[in-house]
Amino acid sequence: MTFGLRDRAVVVTGGSKGFGRIVARRLAAEGCAVALCARSAETLAATAREIEAEYGTRVFARSCDVTVPDELGAFVDAAAEALGGLDGLVTNAGDAFGGGLMDSTPEEWTRTFELNVGHSAHAIRTCVPHMRARGRGDVVIVSSISGWKPGRNTQYGAAKAAEIYMASTLARELAADRIRVNTVSPGSMLIPGGGWDEFRQREPERYERFLGEFPGGALPSGEDVAEVVAFLLSDHARAVNGANIPVDAAQNAPAASGY
């Protein structure tokens, strides 16, 4: 299925590997031009070449640290210039730092929030003028079911909850500019070479027990979630704004260790 995104230009942060790469490929399959950023210049260049060769679409790629506002802003502005404007944004970059409350430092909490919430906010802020020039825009923040299903990493869950709240408020703030803001919240995704794939190979018995958290007995794939991202960026979702869409196959606990 296609969603009518051909010729749109979309930024994907953290787009060189994992779920970000899957999203970029899905959008390229739609005929989108994509702008990708990540820390690793080598991996980023390889992904850009792969997408250009397979889909024949324009790809702008630049290495940057998304937690440094000047770097992120320069990337967004350069992407808009290279692609002739911007229509969409997917803020995918994210991670967690530190362990439990007593095993984490204030710096790790700050770093977790800067990477998840801070980078998303600044990316949106920088994209808004380019979207206004288009007369519209669509934003998808990649959050997580950890934003409301309690897990063991409090700082990550709190940051993801903040992203969901941010989308609900920015949807109202930016509605006059015809810019929609939504979140998609994946559960545990089975991505080749990803963390859950490695866990499956390393600890197959624990993985089989973990499947009990899914009523259907299987983790969603990255492609399953990317399909929802593409939908949210499209006119098919024109009345969806400020929403949080879980894509988790009705997952219970968000981690193999339970709650």
Side-chain angles (χ1 to χ4, degrees):
M1 180 178 181
T2 60
F3 291 108
L5 293 171
R6 178 167 295 279
D7 297 327
R8 295 193 187 180
V10 183
V11 169
V12 182
T13 66
S16 67
K17 60 183 180 179
F19 182 59
R21 173 180 170 273
I22 291 171
V23 169
R25 287 176 55 86
R26 180 65 183 84
L27 296 177
E30 285 276 335
C32 292
V34 292
L36 312 177
C37 70
R39 284 178 180 269
S40 171
E42 184 177 352
T43 306
L44 193 60
T47 298
R49 289 193 299 268
E50 167 197 305
I51 291 173
E52 287 175 333
E54 187 166 349
Y55 299 105
T57 190
R58 292 176 295 166
V59 180
F60 175 79
R62 175 179 288 185
S63 175
C64 79
D65 182 345
V66 297
T67 66
V68 179
D70 287 347
E71 286 190 30
L72 180 56
F75 159 71
V76 169
D77 290 341
E81 182 174 357
L83 301 181
L86 294 177
D87 302 287
L89 167 67
V90 180
T91 63
N92 168 70
D95 204 347
F97 305 97
L101 179 65
M102 305 309 293
D103 297 319
S104 58
T105 65
E107 291 75 19
E108 287 168 334
W109 277 70
T110 298
R111 191 179 176 195
T112 299
F113 270 77
E114 286 179 347
L115 178 54
N116 294 278
V117 188
H119 121 263
S120 292
H122 189 63
I124 295 168
R125 182 188 299 114
T126 310
C127 282
V128 163
H130 301 293
M131 292 178 174
R132 281 174 174 161
R134 289 282 218 235
R136 53 158 296 157
D138 303 290
V139 177
V140 176
I141 301 171
V142 179
S143 184
S144 168
I145 63 169
S146 294
W148 71 93
K149 295 185 179 183
R152 293 177 181 267
N153 193 304
T154 305
Q155 59 270 38
Y156 179 72
K160 289 304 180 183
E163 288 181 329
I164 294 168
Y165 178 83
M166 180 167 63
S168 70
T169 58
L170 291 183
R172 289 159 175 78
E173 182 177 338
L174 300 176
D177 293 307
R178 298 184 65 227
I179 297 173
R180 294 185 301 113
V181 186
N182 293 291
T183 51
V184 61
S185 287
S188 301
M189 294 181 283
L190 188 60
I191 296 173
W196 290 110
D197 188 29
E198 292 177 356
F199 178 68
R200 177 178 63 170
Q201 298 176 49
R202 187 177 64 251
E203 301 185 58
E205 292 183 2
R206 286 191 66 201
Y207 180 81
E208 285 300 316
R209 290 196 298 272
F210 179 52
L211 290 180
E213 301 290 349
F214 299 83
L219 279 67
S221 68
E223 286 77 10
D224 292 331
V225 184
E227 198 74 10
V228 179
V229 172
F231 165 73
L232 287 173
L233 290 170
S234 77
D235 291 342
H236 292 273
R238 58 186 173 273
V240 183
N241 198 14
N244 174 46
I245 311 297
V247 190
D248 64 352
Q251 182 175 355
N252 184 24
S257 55
Y259 284 108

